[in-house]
Amino acid sequence: MIKKNTSHLKDIQKISHTEGFSSVVSSVYRFVVHIENLRSAQPNAIVQFSNGEMAIIWQANEKATTALLLSANSKVEVGMGAKLVADNFSVYASDKLLGRIVDPLLSPKDGKSIDKKGTPQPVFGSAPGFYERAIVDEQLGTGVVMVDTLFPIVKGQRIAIIGDNKSGKTTFLSQVAQYQSKEDTVLVYVLIAKHKNDINKLLERLKVAGVLEKTIIVVADIFDALPLSYLAPYVGCAIAESFWRAGKNTVVFYDDLTAHAKLYREMSLLLDVPPGREGYPGDMFWQHSSLLERAGKLKRNGASQTVLAVGTTPTGDLTGYLPTSLISMTDGQIVFDLSTMHRGVKPAVNVGVSVSRVGGRSQSKQFAELASRVRAELAKYRTASDFARFGTELSDVATKQIALGDKLYELFKQPPEYSYSLKEQYIMLEALMQSKEPEEVSISWLKSVIQDVTLQDIDEKDYIKIAKELIKSNPMVKTP
């Protein structure tokens, strides 16, 4: 229920006015506060109450201003004073944030002090205009063979990472972070409404991989206030934008937007916003599309901001409201599913429904041609495997197609702690494709020996030659 006026209202108002708090709280319900006499208030401005707590303005009109409390256990009461302390919610990002774990207000969550100095960046800023953007055509390596070959991600791309619960989405993000930490890239990882156990597991994984000190972690767990969790992805985006506009490449991980949509639905219902499809408010699509639009490549400095947005699909249903919305506002999707995982393929990427709509332009002509051959062989493998399930006697050609497909999927299997450069990926795949008897190729041997090949100053035109020499070094394999 809305908290009623107290008997000490007049005394509180008197104290508030003497301290400069000229506006008054007229009602409080959970995290929703209505404030009277807050003139010149605009959405996204910051309000401070006489007890020191903060809120962000959600809606303002002549009668009253609606604000959202940013504290989980707020002590704000009816009659308290309020005043504007900032016209716009901005964050101050600098290199000192690297390696830190913060909440959406940039308060430290790792037990260390924090310096909030830096260039102010609006949390709800606008995406770069068309004239500010350059064509995205440079590949963002992930170190994951299947993804870099079949669904390459481009620097500046928005790509959805969709799949069942516990299908490996967060593990894949950590692999991308591990690979990109070797580059001069700023990583911003946003955890939205996560359980503390899951947060600790991810932080430990990033720490062991040596990624944590090169990453800014923005955390809003399930016990934080709904408005604070709602703000988390926008704060993470603003932090990344600060580096991006300063000329540094950035990668932002939103884990995950399905949880964000659900908490925004709950928040909207408490704000009396009329529900739409599946109970989500009418501006649900805009909330996420405006966030994801803040990615791309800037023409003036050549820097890029890449976004990997996670979405959860219980039971693998891609036709639901949130999955279809996320797919429609991104430049491709990498789909994880449990059926692929149960076949022993990790990362559990569903090759049939995953796609990168702009990834092909980032691959060299030679790598794109190899990727095309791999896709064709995988298609033949699926067809031959379907026939084999019926116990049909297979031709020699079909038998070899199954053997090659099995070896390709074995090559695609990759533990989270391992990553391969684009050169290493190309040579391993080319060596397997060049082999006359793929069933005799030892994938574990291939992955081991590639680490000993010096590729630093090797030109791309020599990759095929190296691949042929590599496969010949295995005496069990016959080559043409």
Side-chain angles (χ1 to χ4, degrees):
M1 294 179 62
I2 295 178
K3 297 180 183 178
K4 299 300 181 181
N5 207 335
T6 67
S7 59
H8 304 291
L9 175 57
K10 293 182 180 180
D11 293 333
I12 294 174
Q13 288 177 332
K14 186 182 294 184
I15 295 171
S16 300
H17 282 288
T18 58
E19 295 178 351
F21 295 90
S22 57
S23 304
V24 180
V25 174
S26 59
S27 68
V28 181
Y29 177 62
R30 294 185 64 175
F31 57 82
V32 183
V33 180
H34 292 100
I35 307 168
E36 293 182 352
N37 198 33
L38 192 62
R39 297 184 177 89
S40 303
Q42 297 293 328
N44 305 326
I46 299 297
V47 178
Q48 183 181 12
F49 300 100
S50 53
N51 68 344
E53 291 187 37
M54 312 291 279
I56 184 170
I57 291 180
W58 182 257
Q59 189 178 36
N61 55 45
E62 295 179 357
K63 294 182 179 179
T65 299
T66 303
L68 309 179
L69 291 167
L70 301 178
S71 303
N73 300 305
S74 175
K75 304 297 182 183
V76 173
E77 296 180 348
V78 172
M80 277 189 176
K83 65 178 180 180
L84 285 173
V85 293
D87 292 331
N88 198 4
F89 183 26
S90 299
V91 294
Y92 293 81
S94 68
D95 290 338
K96 293 182 180 180
L97 277 177
L98 291 171
R100 302 304 307 275
I101 305 169
V102 298
D103 69 11
L105 298 180
L106 298 196
S107 299
K109 301 201 77 167
D110 50 12
K112 305 174 185 177
S113 61
I114 194 166
D115 186 355
K116 294 186 179 181
K117 294 180 180 178
T119 304
Q121 185 69 33
V123 169
F124 293 97
S126 300
F130 180 77
Y131 63 93
E132 297 178 82
R133 297 176 179 266
I135 298 220
V136 291
D137 55 4
E138 183 180 354
Q139 186 167 358
L140 180 110
T142 68
V144 179
V145 181
M146 183 188 293
V147 172
D148 286 338
T149 304
L150 303 179
F151 318 108
I153 301 174
V154 182
K155 291 182 179 180
Q157 183 177 358
R158 307 155 299 173
I159 191 156
I161 311 299
I162 302 177
D164 294 298
N165 288 309
K166 306 299 180 181
S167 60
K169 303 185 297 296
T170 299
T171 299
F172 171 69
L173 296 189
S174 68
Q175 288 177 286
V176 178
Q178 180 180 346
Y179 189 84
Q180 281 299 309
S181 67
K182 303 171 187 176
E183 311 289 333
D184 186 22
T185 304
V186 175
L187 307 174
V188 179
Y189 204 119
V190 184
L191 292 160
I192 308 165
K194 291 284 187 180
H195 291 274
K196 290 189 176 181
N197 187 43
D198 294 332
I199 294 171
N200 291 334
K201 284 181 180 179
L202 174 66
L203 295 179
E204 182 62 26
R205 186 182 300 155
L206 295 178
K207 184 178 179 180
V208 170
V211 179
L212 195 55
E213 62 269 20
K214 300 180 180 180
T215 308
I216 302 169
I217 312 287
V218 180
V219 177
D221 62 43
I222 58 172
F223 298 108
D224 285 323
L226 279 178
L228 204 62
S229 296
Y230 163 74
L231 292 172
Y234 303 98
V235 170
C237 181
I239 292 172
E241 278 180 329
S242 183
F243 291 96
W244 180 30
R245 294 183 182 278
K248 291 188 177 181
N249 292 327
T250 66
V251 180
V252 190
F253 307 91
Y254 298 124
D255 191 5
D256 69 43
L257 291 186
T258 300
H260 183 259
K262 289 179 179 178
L263 66 88
Y264 182 61
R265 174 174 61 184
E266 182 179 347
M267 196 173 80
S268 298
L269 291 173
L270 289 170
L271 287 164
D272 293 328
V273 177
R277 181 177 172 185
E278 296 184 16
Y280 293 101
D283 66 341
M284 186 70 259
F285 185 91
W286 178 85
Q287 288 288 338
H288 285 168
S289 63
S290 63
L291 175 68
L292 299 181
E293 277 295 323
R294 294 160 70 177
K297 184 176 180 180
L298 293 177
K299 189 181 296 183
R300 62 180 176 84
N301 59 19
S304 64
Q305 177 153 301
T306 310
V307 167
L308 280 74
V310 175
T312 302
T313 56
T315 69
D317 182 14
L318 296 176
T319 63
Y321 173 57
L322 293 180
T324 53
S325 294
L326 193 56
I327 288 171
S328 67
M329 65 181 73
T330 52
D331 308 309
Q333 69 275 354
I334 299 174
V335 180
F336 291 73
D337 64 38
L338 293 177
S339 60
T340 303
M341 179 178 284
H342 293 158
R343 296 205 316 267
V345 179
K346 297 180 183 180
V349 176
N350 187 322
V351 176
V353 294
S354 299
V355 65
S356 179
R357 298 187 186 93
V358 296
R361 70 175 65 162
S362 68
Q363 290 180 315
S364 66
K365 183 178 180 181
Q366 188 169 319
F367 207 144
E369 188 273 334
L370 173 62
S372 179
R373 284 191 285 136
V374 170
R375 287 192 192 92
E377 290 300 331
L378 290 176
K380 295 175 184 177
Y381 168 76
R382 288 193 293 271
T383 302
S385 297
D386 289 340
F387 278 107
R389 289 195 187 98
F390 296 106
T392 308
E393 184 176 349
L394 300 175
S395 64
D396 292 341
V397 173
T399 302
K400 287 189 176 183
Q401 288 171 349
I402 291 177
L404 179 56
D406 286 337
K407 289 297 180 178
L408 283 170
Y409 273 109
E410 188 178 347
L411 181 57
F412 288 153
K413 294 177 183 178
Q414 192 171 328
E417 62 271 17
Y418 286 92
S419 63
Y420 301 94
S421 68
L422 296 179
K423 292 180 181 180
E424 291 171 339
Q425 294 176 31
Y426 182 94
I427 292 172
M428 287 192 296
L429 285 166
E430 188 63 64
L432 182 58
M433 297 292 284
Q434 289 285 338
S435 63
K436 189 174 182 179
E437 303 293 340
E439 67 273 10
E440 296 184 359
V441 178
S442 171
I443 299 300
S444 59
W445 167 83
L446 190 59
K447 289 182 176 180
S448 175
V449 75
I450 194 66
Q451 306 290 335
D452 301 325
V453 179
T454 304
L455 301 173
Q456 187 172 358
D457 299 318
I458 301 298
D459 192 84
E460 189 178 44
K461 63 184 180 182
D462 297 321
Y463 289 177
I464 296 178
K465 180 181 177 182
I466 295 172
K468 289 182 177 179
E469 292 175 353
L470 185 64
I471 206 65
K472 283 180 181 179
S473 64
N474 184 349
M476 295 180 62
V477 177
K478 300 175 184 178
T479 54

